Every structure is written in C-alpha cells, then in structure tokens.
Amino acid sequence: MSSVFRILLRRLGISVIVLIGVSMLIFAIARVIPGDPARIALGPNATAEQVAAIRTEMHLDEPIVAQYGHFVTDVLRGDLGTSLYTNRPVTQDIVEFLPATLELVIFAGLLMVALGLPLGILAARHRARWPDHVVRVLTLLTVSAPSFVWAVILMLVFAFYLPLFPVAGRIDDSYEIARVTGFLTVDTLIAGRFDAFLDVLHHLVLPAVALALSGIGQAARLTRANMVETYDKPYIEMAQAYGFAPGRIARRYAFKPSLIPSLTIIGLDFAAMLGNAFLVEAVFAWPGLSRYGVAVILRKDLNAIMGTVLVIALTFLIINIIVDLLIAFLNPRIRHSTRAAT
Amino acid sequence: MTRALRILASNPLSLIGLILVSGIVLAALLAPWIAPFPTHNSAVIDFAHANQAPTARNWMGTDLVGRDIFSRILYAYRISLGLGIVVLVIATPIGTVVGLLAGYLGGWTESVLMRLVDVFLSIPPLVLAIAVLGVLEPTLTNAMIAVTVMWWPWYARLVYSIARSEREEGYVLAAEVIGAPTPHIVFREILPNCLPAIITKMTLDMGFVIIIASSLSFLGLGVQPPTPDLGSMVAEGARYLPDSLWMTVFPGLAILLAVFGFNLLGDGLREVLGVDE
C-alpha cells in the first residue's frame, strides 16, 4: 500500500470524526437560539395548535439526543429541511447557489498561487534589496484590509473610473446558457459559446482579484520566509559554487523544498476564501451561496443556516484533504517511503 | 523594555507601525474631545449638511443624514479596538490553557482537545462567526461572543505545537524528576516559553479581529446603527458609489491604516522577540 494512499485513509478517518464534531457544533448553535424554533417557523400569527403540530413534525418534543439523531439521519439522506426564505428544500437551494461561489473561490485560489508564489520567489532571490522591500510592503498592505474594502476599491477604479470590467453579476443578461454544472465557465464551453465564456471570465476578474488579494500576500510572505531559510542550506551554496544560474537555483533548488511547508497555510487560506466570499459577493451582487447565507441569517431561517454552514464545512474539509494529498505527493520523503508516515 | 523599543524603532517599517498604532489608540481614547462633532456618534440628523464632499468644515465629508465622517471614524475606532481587546483577553487564555494541557499531557487529553480544536478550525472563521450571530441577535456583545468562539482554537493550536516540543526539553524533564506538580510545570516552566509567540500573535491578531469585526458589521451582523462602525459605514456608502465615494473610501482607508499598523508592529515584535513565522 503506497504511503500517499495511507495518508488519504488516515485523513479521511480524521475528517469523519471532525465532521461528526461539526454536525454537533452546528446542532448546538441552532439549539441556543432564543425563542421557539416552531414559532419562528410559523410566524407571529400561528395558533397554539399549529405550533404544537409543527413541534411534533420538527421533533422538538423529543429529548435533545433524539433530536440530534433525527438531524444526522436527515442530513445523511441529503435532506436539509425546507428553507423558510425560499420555501424550497435547502438542498435544492444549495445546489443552485454553491457552484457560483465555488467558481469564484477556485479562480481566486488559482490567482493566489499564480501571483503569490512568484512574488515570494522574487523577494527571496533579492532578499534585503529593493524588490524584497517592495514585496514586503505590498504583501503587508494586501493582508491589511478585509476583502470587501478591496472589492469596493477595485470596483471604483476598474469598473467606474476606468470602465474596463463589469460592475456586477456573473454574465451579461443577453446570453442564454443552458445550466448543466452551474459553473458558467464550464457551461458556456459545453454550449459551445466561446464569446459567452470570455464574458464570464471578464465578470470573474474583479471579484476574484478582490477575494485573492490577501491570500496572494500570505502566499508570497510564506514562500519568501521558507525560501530564505532554504537559501542558507549547504546544497544551495554548492549549487552556487558550481556556477548554476541564479534563476535555476531559485526555481529548482530553493523553491521546491520551500513549497511544501507553505502549502498547508495556502490550503487554509484557500479555504478561508469560502468565508470571505460572503463579503465579495455582497459587493459585486454575485448570485452565490454567500448571498443566500446572509439572506437566510437575517431571516433566522434555521434549516437554511445549518445547511449552508454544513456544506461550507464539508467543502473546507475536502479542500484540506486535497492539499494534504498534494503535499504527500510533492514530498519525496513521503512519496517514496514504504513505512507508515507519521 | 527600552532595548526592545530601540530595536523596534531602528526598523523604519516597525517604527511606522508603532506610530500608526499609537496614533489610532490615542485618537480612539480622545475621540470625545478631539472629534469636531462629538455628538455625531448617534442618530443626529443635519440635512443642511447632508451628503457633502470633504470641506474645511467636514474633512472627510458627511454621510446621508449630514453626520461628520471623520468624527464617526474616531468613534468607530473605539468600538473596533475595544472589541479586539475584549476578544483577545478572553480567547487567548482559553486557547493557551487548552494548548498547554494538550501539548504537555499528551495521550487522550491531547486527542480529545485537539480534535475539538480541529472541529472549530474546519469551519472558515468568518462563517463560524456568521453562524453564531445568525442565531443570536446582531449586537456588539454577541459579535464579541461570535468572534471569541472562532478565535480561541488558533491560540490552542499555536501553544500546543510549542508545548509539545518543549515537553521533551531538559528543563521540563528536570522539573519532572524533582517531582514538580503538573500545574507548576505547565504554567511556570512551559508557559513562559510560549509567551513571545503568544504576544506576537496577539499584536497581529488585533488587526485580524478588526478585519473580522468590520466584516460582520459590513454584512449587517455586527454593531447596529446609529453606533458608528467602520464596516457598516463602508456598506452604507457602497450603495452610493461612485458619486458619494468619500462615504466609503475614508472608512475603508481607516480599516486599512489600523490593520496595517498592527501588522507592521507585529512583524517588528516578531523580530525583537525572535519568533519564527
């Protein structure tokens, strides 16, 4: 059994335990709510009989452990209850809104890696000289404002003053694209509409950059810090003594081992974007899960709140497992080891 | 202490951080005396001066009902800093104790506590705070509770990793050999070695708490009007972009300045205290 596979099994085991914990936590949060969930569901004009009926239907008259049991069985069957806000099954709402958020988060994640790592390499190669200082100030600035501030600034500059990008939405209304996956970048290609695909990318740029900025800063800072440490290792000195080109040393010898410790944090940052998407979606009127989440929270729509948090936690765990596997795969010590990795 | 200050001041970036943070803390403390319109932290209405661009009277312009944005920002700093301090003062000891116990005792204590920490860390911080606020009423106190709930696990994880490696150090073994009680080893031997990392993290975290708190109020889940908060001021102004941009830009910059200051200072402290990134 390969060690990468063993790590996958171990991670899945831990994730199941964590998911059980998350379900308890979400259940606990939902039960501290002041007031009677049945009355909240029915509104102020309900009669006592109606409240009693729905209490039975929601299992609220049973012991708390039994209530938790019902909650878990329902979740495992994919039944997250009905949303009071949309009057539809929460599962259906999530299937509708999650792809838009995921698409945004994935693009932001790609930007974070594509811009953050090279900036970090640049700073480490020229450490204690001006490129390093510039990158340090830039990265500190990007992590110093919440993504909604960046979203507003980017919108102001690149949508209002220089009308280069659209102000809101995922796609121009004039396109009619059949929904297959919910990911518009994929659906437009399936439909064979390349012009629509470009329009979707055009809409993605500003929200994705706003969401990615602080992650870009984090990734660059970490890469720099780890690479500076690697640069002090004897094998780098040897490579320099051999006269290898500085660029080659940076990319092939100093960067690769530094990537592994950075990746864990990059994974966490990636996952944190699921939270920050709440802010960016609000600014750019992005029809994703976060807008749904805020709407249901303001209406105290319990089923929808629990379902949304659960799905986000699940996505978060999946992203972290993927990152762990990537690390295991990139690290030759784990990839080639035959003993159990600890 | 003076030596630390001198090292801090010798790095220009840290010095800027120190100046920014001291300036903002002073401004927040003195807000009732230095704000040009000290009553504008409440539901004052002055339609004669509503929606005005920056002038000599209102340096950062006025909002929709004519309140001075500069004055409101000063008051908002009081809320942000106060919230940050309360959250850190509660979350840090909780996380530290959990991390120390898990790291030093090991065994099932470690498994149970760290899995609990994993549970909290497996929901994106902002989402956890939003979920807690979702079921409580959106008020300042509840915002503090929500942010504290999401914050302590990070300290638990930080202290845990230090405590676990310190557990094997000679001085801990020596204390064990002479029969020192566990509380003594945990709090008098191991804890002091975690303090530099904790203090650095608290400085950097003041910035992050400000970000999270303003994010919550941006979504309408934090401090409620008419109390001024940087996040809700940005949200309010964003509806009138691009015309009344001062309503959004100045509160946004105010967040940026404060967090930037704490980040620069935290970075400097890290060097002074010799803490690894």
Side-chain angles (χ1 to χ4, degrees):
Chain A
M1 193 165 62
S2 85
S3 37
V4 173
F5 185 64
R6 199 173 293 131
I7 287 174
L8 176 66
L9 278 185
R10 190 166 161 262
R11 273 306 314 233
L12 284 178
I14 293 177
S15 302
V16 169
I17 300 175
V18 169
L19 262 184
I20 294 172
V22 168
S23 71
M24 288 181 179
L25 178 66
I26 292 173
F27 183 76
I29 291 175
R31 282 298 173 270
V32 261
I33 190 167
D36 183 352
R39 192 158 277 287
I40 294 170
L42 287 170
N45 297 324
T47 62
E49 291 83 51
Q50 285 172 313
V51 172
I54 206 145
R55 282 187 70 86
T56 316
E57 196 191 314
M58 291 168 81
H59 308 293
L60 288 172
D61 44 4
E62 294 173 35
I64 196 90
V65 179
Q67 290 186 31
Y68 175 70
H70 287 298
F71 170 62
V72 171
T73 354
D74 285 349
V75 167
L76 288 179
R77 281 185 306 175
D79 177 6
L80 296 169
T82 307
S83 159
L84 306 173
Y85 164 50
T86 57
N87 277 322
R88 298 191 309 180
V90 173
T91 321
Q92 193 188 333
D93 286 342
I94 287 174
V95 168
E96 181 175 338
F97 295 118
L98 183 63
T101 298
L102 278 184
E103 189 167 52
L104 177 61
V105 169
I106 290 171
F107 268 81
L110 292 177
L111 277 177
M112 173 169 90
V113 173
L115 297 175
L117 299 185
L119 274 176
I121 297 176
L122 181 79
R125 264 187 72 180
H126 305 280
R127 62 178 178 279
R129 286 194 301 260
W130 69 265
D132 188 18
H133 299 311
V134 170
V135 170
R136 184 173 176 206
V137 173
L138 275 182
T139 54
L140 268 175
L141 266 178
T142 60
V143 298
S144 293
S147 40
F148 68 85
V149 169
W150 292 129
V152 166
I153 292 174
L154 287 174
M155 188 189 218
L156 205 53
V157 177
F158 296 105
F160 286 126
Y161 289 125
L162 310 166
L164 297 174
F165 294 98
V167 176
R170 293 175 75 193
I171 187 168
D172 196 281
D173 288 338
S174 58
Y175 294 104
E176 277 183 23
I177 303 295
R179 184 187 166 102
V180 186
T181 59
F183 289 84
L184 281 179
T185 43
V186 180
D187 287 356
T188 49
L189 288 179
I190 291 177
R193 293 289 300 275
F194 197 69
D195 52 336
F197 174 75
L198 287 180
D199 185 61
V200 171
L201 286 186
H202 196 207
H203 279 80
L204 259 171
V205 173
L206 286 188
V209 171
L211 189 54
L213 268 178
S214 69
I216 292 173
Q218 286 278 34
R221 280 165 61 93
L222 275 169
T223 307
R224 180 204 172 272
N226 290 325
M227 266 183 79
V228 163
E229 222 167 89
T230 318
Y231 261 116
D232 290 336
K233 298 260 166 78
Y235 74 90
I236 298 286
E237 214 172 309
M238 191 173 83
Q240 284 163 341
Y242 268 120
F244 289 170
R248 183 178 168 192
I249 294 178
R251 281 186 299 273
R252 289 205 41 190
Y253 300 104
F255 171 65
K256 268 193 186 169
S258 322
L259 178 64
I260 292 164
S262 308
L263 264 183
T264 313
I265 309 290
I266 291 176
L268 278 177
D269 275 345
F270 198 145
M273 285 181 186
L274 281 169
N276 289 333
F278 270 81
L279 307 165
V280 175
E281 287 187 7
V283 176
F284 288 100
W286 194 262
L289 188 62
S290 314
R291 287 224 308 174
Y292 175 72
V294 173
V296 297
I297 279 171
L298 291 175
R299 284 170 184 78
K300 294 250 182 287
D301 183 348
L302 263 191
N303 287 336
I305 297 173
M306 288 161 82
T308 309
V309 177
L310 200 62
V311 166
I312 290 179
L314 185 65
T315 317
F316 191 91
L317 276 175
I318 293 172
I319 291 177
N320 279 319
I321 291 177
I322 294 173
V323 170
D324 273 6
L325 285 181
L326 203 62
I327 293 172
F329 185 72
L330 286 174
N331 191 338
R333 269 179 289 206
I334 300 178
R335 196 173 57 219
H336 295 304
S337 77
T338 46
R339 281 170 295 132
T342 47
Chain B
M1 189 68 199
T2 36
R3 210 192 100 239
L5 269 180
R6 206 174 307 129
I7 300 177
L8 212 54
S10 68
N11 178 335
L13 286 181
S14 314
L15 187 64
I16 296 175
L18 190 64
I19 293 170
L20 275 177
V21 168
S22 333
I24 286 166
V25 169
L26 269 181
L29 284 176
L30 301 178
W33 296 279
I34 58 174
F37 298 89
T39 55
H40 285 194
N41 67 334
S42 55
V44 172
I45 291 174
D46 179 6
F47 282 127
H49 295 98
N51 193 13
Q52 281 181 352
T55 55
R57 178 179 181 271
N58 305 100
W59 301 344
M60 296 183 181
T62 60
D63 67 6
L64 273 191
V65 293
R67 291 174 300 193
D68 180 47
I69 297 214
F70 177 63
S71 304
R72 285 178 69 74
I73 285 178
L74 292 182
Y75 276 97
Y77 270 144
R78 288 166 83 90
I79 305 263
S80 298
L81 294 177
L83 191 140
I85 290 168
V86 171
V87 165
L88 292 180
V89 162
I90 299 172
T92 311
I94 298 175
T96 305
V97 170
V98 169
L100 280 172
L101 292 180
Y104 176 68
L105 295 177
W108 67 266
T109 319
E110 176 184 344
S111 309
V112 171
L113 289 178
M114 293 321 285
R115 281 303 88 76
L116 185 68
V117 169
D118 280 347
V119 167
F120 278 88
L121 293 181
S122 64
I123 303 179
L126 189 59
V127 176
L128 184 56
I130 290 174
V132 173
L133 275 178
V135 293
L136 302 173
E137 291 304 314
T139 61
L140 179 61
T141 319
N142 288 340
M144 284 177 183
I145 294 173
V147 182
T148 310
V149 165
M150 55 155 280
W151 222 272
W152 68 269
W154 297 92
Y155 283 87
R157 212 173 63 161
L158 172 78
V159 173
Y160 164 75
S161 64
I162 304 174
R164 208 172 68 154
S165 62
E166 295 293 320
R167 177 168 79 187
E168 311 296 333
E169 293 289 324
Y171 70 92
V172 174
L173 297 177
E176 282 170 355
V177 167
I178 60 169
T182 305
H184 174 90
I185 296 176
V186 169
F187 294 108
R188 302 294 291 274
E189 304 286 345
I190 297 181
L191 179 60
N193 286 296
C194 306
L195 281 180
I198 294 176
I199 291 170
T200 308
K201 185 166 172 54
M202 284 177 84
T203 313
L204 291 169
D205 274 0
M206 267 306 283
F208 289 127
V209 177
I210 293 174
I211 287 186
I212 294 284
S214 64
S215 301
L216 289 174
S217 72
F218 175 77
L219 293 173
L221 296 170
V223 184
Q224 295 297 308
T227 309
D229 186 275
L230 299 173
S232 52
M233 289 171 79
V234 174
E236 221 175 271
R239 274 180 271 156
Y240 305 98
L241 284 178
D243 300 324
S244 307
L245 65 103
W246 57 89
M247 287 185 203
T248 322
V249 170
F250 288 115
L253 284 179
I255 301 176
L256 182 74
L257 268 187
V259 181
F260 192 51
F262 279 108
N263 279 341
L264 288 176
L265 187 64
D267 243 26
L269 273 181
R270 175 149 52 206
E271 274 165 44
V272 173
L273 298 171
V275 178
D276 287 339
E277 192 147 354

